[in-house]
Amino acid sequence: MKQKIYSIFAVAALLLSSCTGDYLNINDNPNQAVSATPELVLSNALNVTAGRLGHNQIGNFFGGYWAPSGSYSGFAPERQFDYGATYGTGVWNGVYDNLQDYQYILDKATAQKWPAVSGIAKVMMAYNYQILVDAYGNVPYSDALKGTASIRPKYDDAQAVYDGLVKTLDAASTDLKVAISGDNPSPGAQDIVFKGDLAKWRRFANTLRLRILIRQSNISGKDLKGEIAKVTAEGAGFLKAGETVNSTPGYLKTAGKQNPWWESYVQQASGSDAGAKQAYVCSAFFINTLQDDLKDPRLARLAAKNNAGVYVGVPLGEGNDTHLFPKRSWFGPAIIKSFDQPMVLMTAAESFFLQAEAVQRGYATGDAKAFYEAGVSEAFTASGLTAADATTYLAKSVANTGWASSTDKIEAIITQKWIAMFSLTGFEAWSEFRRTGFPKVPLATKAIQAKAPARLFYPTSEISTNSENVAAQNVTSQFDNKIFWAKK
Amino acid sequence: MRKLLLIISVLFFGLALHTNAQDRQVSGKVVSAEDNSPLPGVSIAVKGTSRGTTTGADGSFKISVGSGASLTFSFVGFDNKTVAVGNQTVVNVALGSNTSQLQEVVVTALGVQRSKESLGYAATTVKGSELNQGKAVSVASALQGKVSGLQINTVNNGVNPSNRIVLRGNRSLLGNNEALVVIDGTVAPSDAINFLNPNDIDDVTVLKGANAAALYGSDASNGALIITTKKGSAGAPKISVSNTTYMEEISFMPKFQEGFGGGTESYSRVYIPFENQSYGPAYTKSEVELGMPLEDGTFQKTPYSYKPNAKLNSFDKGVTTQSAVSLSVGDKVSSFFISAQQNNTKGVVPGDLKDQTALRMNASHEYSKFKGAFNIGYTTNNIDFTTSDFYNTILNTPGQVPLDQYRDWRNFKNADGSLNYANPNNYFNAYFYSPFFNKDVNRRKEFNSNLTGNVELSYKATSWLSFLGRVGITKKDYNGKAIQEKFKYSAYAKSVGDFSEAQNDLNGFASDYNFTDYRISSDFFLTADKKFGDFSTTFIAGINNKESTQKFVSTTANSLVIPGLYNVGNRIGEAGAGESDFKSRLVGVYGDLTLGYKNYLFLHASGRNDWSSLLGVSNRSFFYPGADISVVLSEAVPALKELTFLSFAKIRAAATKVGGINVGPYALQTAFGTGSFPYGSLAGFTVGNNLPDPNLTPEFTNSYEIGGEFGFLNNRVNLELAYYTQKTTGQTVSISTSQATGYSSALINAGTLENTGFEFDLKTTPVKLANGFTWDFNVNFSQVDNKVLELYQGINELNLSNYYGLTSDASLGQVFATVGEQYPSLKVIAYKRDPAGRVIVNSETGYPSVATTLKTVGQSNPKYRLGLTTNLKYKGFALNAVAEYRGGNYIYHGLAETEWFTGVAYATAVYGRERFVFPNSVIANADGTYTPNTNVVVKDGGLGAWDSNLRRYGENFITSAAFWKLREVALSYTVPTKFLASTKFIKSASVGLVGRNLITLLPKENVYTDPEFANTTSNAVGLNSNAQTPPTRTYGFTVNLGF
């Protein structure tokens, strides 16, 4: 009998040693991919960058475009500027999550020596890092995106990050200049922004570099003129008329696949109202500026009449039944188009206003007035009006409309850029307001301090996971801890 | 089971006695006084001699005796009885059972039966009769309050309740802590217990610690419920039929304010007819309009006064009928048992239904040295329930609204041509859907089935060596369809309600899903059982192989075309589709040795090595050993034997290490997501956010236990004590990482959770009279101390609930694993306070502000649990009751937060909606000191204070989670057999009244709900919401017949 027992165990042991290997090697994921190619990641990364609403929504409020309607209570951050580390956490987490995808693309494309793809990744990394700096100031940069190799990334000085971004964009240009070939495949349709048109990518890169440089106009001792000369020397120029940087993967009328703006603010794929349909309307400041101050024909394109047939906005801060959604102006037909309208990364009008400012400030040569008027004209046509409408408008002797009638040219440039970017790139509008003070957006009526928000707080997730580095930044006030480029 | 007791006792104690030739032959039969069933293996001794015999399988015996002899009948679990033979040649004896005797047999791991005295760890057996005395619908609720160390939470109610079953607190921070469920030797998913027919249960053995369960492998670190179903017993066929009908009713609703109706203005109290918040003016009793102007120009009108029972009457009385039939039969070599049960439940939420059918077939047959057996249970459920937040709207509707009048909403107009106010087009509320409409249009219908079965074949090679092979299968299938009915609002309703979400058309949807969970487990082991003089040895060695497969498929139409047709084909837009597959395998080998010396010293050691597919090649093999010792002092120490008050004494100790794997399949690699891709032919991928350590190892739990078991006064008083300590190290935790790393979390081994506890079970029979009156009174008590010792470097806490941050409404209360604190630790957003603990308020507004850190409230798991059971028996009457107390913990009432938002909560009107000075508040002075606030009142005593401000503090919604519940009460009457004799065919009959949760006592501060409820069955207990409908009590009538 003992023999039998032994033999049973011998067999068992043999079975275990020989079979368990294959028998147990069944832990490969049958449900999800565990590796991908850079261009497959690119389409999603671009779609995420373009579809990110959070930072623009914050900008839409603090930049003077929007106010919450009276149909909802709450909104302490918007109505009172009362917010902390839980407000806008998606900006931090969403951007870094997105950056990780670009890092993956960059690493893979660099390893495979695909400069077209790595160049695009570099442009988009600069685009995303600028959002982080403009929202938070000092952020992890040189130590970021390294996984558990650096589990508590250290923070880089905001100015250093900006300098790094300028270098990144320069390197991106170098990559993007390499012609498409068998060795340098085009991302093609996976590039949902420019469909592999590298010249357009270079103009986008140059315009972005110009935006980053001009943002530093308040910094003394910065050789912006020299830096901008390098951008001009790059050769591809800046975004041209009609070259608004749009992104669409081919939005579908399917839940989660519509244009995210449409899906969040307008209508669900099922036809029901979007979750936030009645939450946000035009601010009184925006309506009043266009309607009363500028007599701007774009009002009918950018805003909608209320149920009484007039344009009326909500003063940021107010929120009772007087301001119920149907009683106030929602967004107009230039903003609300369809479930498959593209998302906007950067308006072409911005390109002209940046060039106008560069000339006006003496960083570049040229005709500031011409750039300004080209910007206004681009904004008119983008909103569905005509160039002729723009010409009529520019002929008016109203400050911040006609070039000649505008005593402060910078205010005119920024104000017109502000109108051009309405609801599309709200975060940029807020940044420019913080840099220049234009247009003169009023404080929320219920503001807890008589100051405008200057930044976001590092998010709670970062405080709990990278506490020492966050503490070292010493950010205590949303009003007083300004970004390095802000107007003092 | 008692027959099996004998077999074991024969094996262990060599009780088989010899018979000698004597003067006179006496024969007879020994039966159980309880149910007249024959008792085999009863020892019969001729008093004053060494002669004796044992009864056969049918309870009969024959013995030769001298004149004037007396026979002593003794049997494990029964009282001894001595009968003078006199002139009789036939002596029939009925033995009364003695439940408090300790010499029981316990089913331990692998279905191995061991005498309780030999066990070095805690194990408690609940017999089927004890389990079913209250006629609970589910096995889980039937176990509540009956066993120390066992905590069963019914975390929600409704027709398809969920349970969380935990033994001895928590061991894993983020992994599974629920007890392993083993049905007839086959490991089953923990929810398999919900599919069992309680009438089928022969007994449930609760193996409380890892020590006991280690042989089941790495799932066993949480202890186990070893469920044995009934087998056919030898003798005449027994048919039993029972029917129980229960009523279910809401036992209590939260406490509401009854003074103020609809309104939402700050600073003033204006009645708004269509408002969902209750911050309007005080009730006046005069008639007011309710809702928008209606299409025919009229208004719905109602007296502006509180309608006291409108909310309660919006629920139904539930009814459950349970019918069961079973047949049990057997002979010397075979057993056969079949049963069927049908449960039909109509829930308290109108329209919610569940029909359950449970079938069971158990049989065995012995042939020579072989024995084959199978045990199969198959249960199906048809469930139809609403997916809407029915309770939320009921709870939060303003008090002037005659809510219970809106049940019938389908018709736009009533029969008399007037408008039907219940119809969504006419419904008053501009923001919330009518709860009745909402519950009817949003539903889920599910058919699910559960098969648990095994076949086993054993071979008894020699008198001391046997082999057993067993293959068990569990298969769960869920086929369901979630639907939303299409509904289009009238143009008029849309025009008046333009600003409101509640007038959104419903486009309808149909979501079809299918989930299959299939597990197969096979065991092959040998048992060697041999005695060497005073030494006994039992050795078990075996191999176990488990495979677990899950598949989930779903398809969804988000917008339907033809109303009422719930098929994915009937849609506009793209169909949604999803599919996932999971498979894992485990191979284990184990050995188990028990050494006994002279029936009072027992040493037991076990070891098991597992190989798991879930871990990397270099980490997939792990070994875990255990050992325990048991000393029966009352046998070992002669001095103790002589103590008359002490009938039994045993001490025991155990130490075990068990490895547990708390990752699912495919967790070792970062997976790529597809974001919202594909868009048509365009694909897209995104790098996942979780970075797993590819070298993850199992979590190891080291547990140590000491205990004692004592019987006093002829076992009228029995006491069982246990103290344990467990430490689980190297936990698999998903730690949050800075998103700047590119990842939001990393899956690593880190963290230690310590768990110590004390338990006792006291069983007493205070009264036992000659006339048959007995009173049994049992107490069980558990104390658990669950502490987080360490987490990952520099990380002090892990959030167990979803983290939304400091100001979001959804996260006012959260549970954490925090180093140095009890697990889980409940924390809330709190008021900013001065050093003396007074609330700092603003000198102008009178409002408090948010403290910069979360306030630790305390543990969310009960620290103490006390169960009391009492049984009174007299003649045919029996009264049983079970009460349970839990305490030392706290709960966050998410439903209260919604009540403050809408202003229906009692607390929101304690100041009559007038401005008030915040109690015990101070105002900060410029110099850093604080002045008591005596005159700064809050800016607004209505919406401004209660909704906009004070609602932001989770500490307002915390209460003690203590409770006393009268879990079950059962009064039964067994009809004496003599009355049944005339019927010829009815052998037994009993009727009874049963009640569950008839009384719930809560601390005064808890005006909300049953603190046992939780949002989840996971570890993150301590938070509730209005997704759980109000607590209910049930009561009913039961009839049982035996044929």
Side-chain angles (χ1 to χ4, degrees), chain B residues 762-811:
Chain B
L762 178 69
K763 296 186 176 177
T764 67
T765 307
V767 181
K768 189 168 186 175
L769 302 179
N771 64 9
F773 178 80
T774 56
W775 176 36
D776 291 333
F777 180 70
N778 301 338
V779 180
N780 66 77
F781 172 82
S782 336
Q783 182 199 324
V784 178
D785 189 11
N786 229 176
K787 209 177 200 172
V788 181
L789 296 187
E790 56 162 0
L791 291 172
Y792 191 57
Q793 38 171 300
I795 293 175
N796 197 39
E797 62 188 15
L798 288 176
N799 198 303
L800 306 177
S801 46
N802 290 324
Y803 186 68
Y804 297 102
L806 269 175
T807 57
S808 165
D809 295 342
S811 60

Side-chain angles (χ1 to χ4, degrees), chain A residues 74-110:
Chain A
F75 290 111
E78 293 80 7
R79 288 176 177 153
Q80 303 168 37
F81 299 156
D82 182 4
Y83 61 87
T86 59
Y87 184 58
T89 54
V91 178
W92 179 279
N93 293 324
V95 172
Y96 272 114
D97 182 17
N98 193 202
L99 276 166
Q100 178 210 17
D101 280 6
Y102 289 116
Q103 186 72 52
Y104 181 87
I105 298 163
L106 180 60
D107 292 346
K108 291 267 170 178
T110 306

Side-chain angles (χ1 to χ4, degrees), chain B residues 437-511:
Chain B
F437 164 69
N438 210 13
K439 81 168 172 57
D440 286 344
V441 297
N442 292 294
R443 302 202 70 79
R444 184 188 306 176
K445 294 176 189 192
E446 184 176 274
F447 171 78
N448 62 50
S449 63
N450 184 76
L451 173 78
T452 305
N454 61 44
V455 295
E456 62 181 48
L457 181 64
S458 57
Y459 173 68
K460 198 159 173 56
T462 71
S463 63
W464 57 273
L465 179 68
S466 60
F467 297 90
L468 189 145
R470 181 191 292 136
V471 180
I473 283 173
T474 65
K475 186 165 188 286
K476 283 191 292 182
D477 285 285
Y478 293 82
N479 295 292
K481 196 184 277 280
I483 61 145
Q484 184 187 65
E485 198 174 314
K486 251 175 111 82
F487 186 85
K488 265 198 169 340
Y489 280 87
S490 70
Y492 176 80
K494 281 188 201 173
S495 71
V496 292
D498 190 32
F499 60 92
S500 152
E501 287 179 84
Q503 269 75 32
N504 252 335
D505 286 346
L506 302 181
N507 298 295
F509 69 76
S511 178

Side-chain angles (χ1 to χ4, degrees), chain B residues 164 166 168-172 177 753 755 786 823-824 861 1019:
Chain B
R164 176 173 167 80
V166 170
R168 292 185 165 172
N170 296 293
R171 284 145 298 275
S172 184
N177 283 303
L753 184 61
N755 177 19
N786 229 176
Y823 173 92
N861 246 358
N1019 298 344

Side-chain angles (χ1 to χ4, degrees), chain B residues 815-887:
Chain B
V815 286
F816 290 86
T818 305
V819 175
E821 291 180 12
Q822 286 290 310
Y823 173 92
S825 177
L826 180 61
K827 303 192 178 199
V828 290
I829 292 176
Y831 295 116
K832 192 176 255 179
R833 292 170 190 271
D834 75 351
R838 297 168 298 184
V839 174
I840 304 167
V841 297
N842 184 292
S843 60
E844 285 170 24
T845 64
Y847 290 134
S849 60
V850 176
T852 47
T853 52
L854 292 176
K855 176 181 171 183
T856 301
V857 178
Q859 65 188 85
S860 62
N861 246 358
K863 187 168 186 64
Y864 309 104
R865 223 184 50 70
L866 180 66
L868 305 176
T869 66
T870 176
N871 306 298
L872 294 166
K873 264 185 231 166
Y874 180 63
K875 307 242 160 124
F877 289 95
L879 176 66
N880 304 307
V882 179
E884 185 179 12
Y885 166 82
R886 295 183 194 171

